[in-house]
Amino acid sequence: MRPLWIGTGFKMTKTRAQAVAYARRLRADLDPGVAGVRPFVLPPATALAEVSEVLDGGPVLTGAQNAHWEDEGAWTGELSVPQVADAGARVVEIGHSERREHFGETDETVRLKARATLRHGLVPLVCCGEDAAVFAAGGSVDHVLRQVHAALDGLPEGPDGLGRVLVAYEPIWAIGERGRPPRPEEVADVHAALAAVWGDRVAAILYGGSVTTDNAADLLHIPGVGGLFVGRAAWDVEGYLRLLDIARQRVGAMT
Ligand code: PGA
């Protein structure tokens, strides 16, 4: 059975001290029985190196919330994949809807960043998802398939290519304070469509957007869902540990 990937991105929250305290607590309290669950944490870039040191050698991967497609050069304010790798990143989040909306991320830059991430041996976490208008018009499946095709078409199959990619389906209408938790049946069609095209080719397809300890178990039951990508509900380490436990129980029930 493939592992369930359960990750959190801190977005623009936490000082270095707060992120390190979180990582220390996670390291100390993580149930050694998390076999079958692959945890990952994406702190702010300022805390990435220290958090990676704290978690080094344990089961939790760390990663960056963004990285540029070029290795170096005149790109003021950006960090490259080799730079975030040097700070300990094993995962690179790409194309979150907040970056697409506010920072000009496009299908093309997502594609370039996914390639750069693979080229350097890291795990691309490619985010996709439709807004409320597309959802209301019944266009979710087409929209999301198009985004993921744009990001991943042409990548080689196998362990150094698609086999290392994570896809996170995060409907924009479900993300953050302004979002609402989905009913599982509202996101099942997209997961079925993604699984049909990409399920056997990528490492896992995750669900994200208003995941909580109340709905995580139901979301993990949706066919094709291979993990969860969580914001607010995992920013408190207790919440993240509870979510990891829910995933562990799900793995236990499946094996
Ligand atoms: P949320 O964020 O869990 O706080 O809704 C999810 C995300 O943006 O990845």
Side-chain angles (χ1 to χ4, degrees):
M1 211 201 89
R2 295 199 289 179
L4 290 176
W5 292 75
I6 308 291
T8 179
F10 290 171
K11 306 195 184 189
M12 198 171 69
T13 72
K14 298 195 194 299
T15 61
R16 284 188 302 147
Q18 289 166 338
V20 166
Y22 183 110
R24 289 207 177 110
R25 180 68 206 289
L26 184 57
R27 179 96 205 218
D29 288 8
L30 192 61
D31 187 333
V34 287
V37 178
R38 191 68 53 85
F40 64 94
V41 173
L42 314 181
T46 48
L48 177 57
E50 283 166 286
V51 166
S52 298
E53 262 171 46
V54 172
L55 295 173
D56 186 39
V60 184
L61 301 180
T62 57
Q65 298 175 26
N66 178 40
H68 199 268
W69 59 86
E70 294 284 350
D71 289 357
E72 62 176 17
W75 299 96
T76 299
E78 289 290 307
L79 297 171
S80 68
V81 177
Q83 285 177 311
V84 297
D86 181 49
R90 302 274 306 282
V91 178
V92 178
E93 181 181 357
I94 301 166
H96 188 282
S97 61
E98 288 152 15
R99 294 210 55 87
R100 292 181 193 251
E101 180 181 352
H102 302 296
F103 302 102
E105 198 84 78
T106 63
D107 285 344
E108 175 62 6
T109 60
V110 169
R111 190 180 75 82
L112 291 169
K113 290 176 179 196
R115 283 170 180 262
T117 301
L118 284 177
R119 192 167 68 241
H120 290 287
L122 277 66
V123 173
L125 170 67
V126 174
C127 301
C128 58
E130 81 289 4
D131 65 19
V134 172
F135 175 69
S140 306
V141 166
D142 285 351
H143 181 91
V144 170
L145 286 181
R146 189 187 46 69
Q147 280 183 324
V148 178
H149 274 298
L152 303 184
D153 270 354
L155 289 175
E157 307 281 337
D160 293 329
L162 287 172
R164 211 187 310 127
V165 171
L166 299 172
V167 173
Y169 169 49
E170 302 206 296
I172 297 169
W173 49 268
I175 290 176
E177 296 294 344
R178 283 174 301 160
R180 65 163 178 87
R183 293 190 303 276
E185 62 271 22
E186 292 178 303
V187 294
D189 281 2
V190 171
H191 275 291
L194 284 172
V197 182
W198 300 103
D200 294 337
R201 301 160 72 193
V202 300
I205 300 169
L206 283 53
Y207 170 78
S210 289
V211 173
T212 66
T213 47
D214 289 336
N215 63 17
D218 289 343
L219 292 165
L220 285 172
H221 271 89
I222 298 170
V225 170
L228 301 170
F229 186 39
V230 189
R232 292 157 296 157
W235 290 348
D236 164 1
V237 70
E238 302 287 346
Y240 187 44
L241 287 164
R242 280 204 299 278
L243 288 164
L244 291 171
D245 202 47
I246 289 166
R248 194 179 49 72
Q249 288 171 27
R250 175 80 186 121
V251 171
M254 286 190 294
T255 46

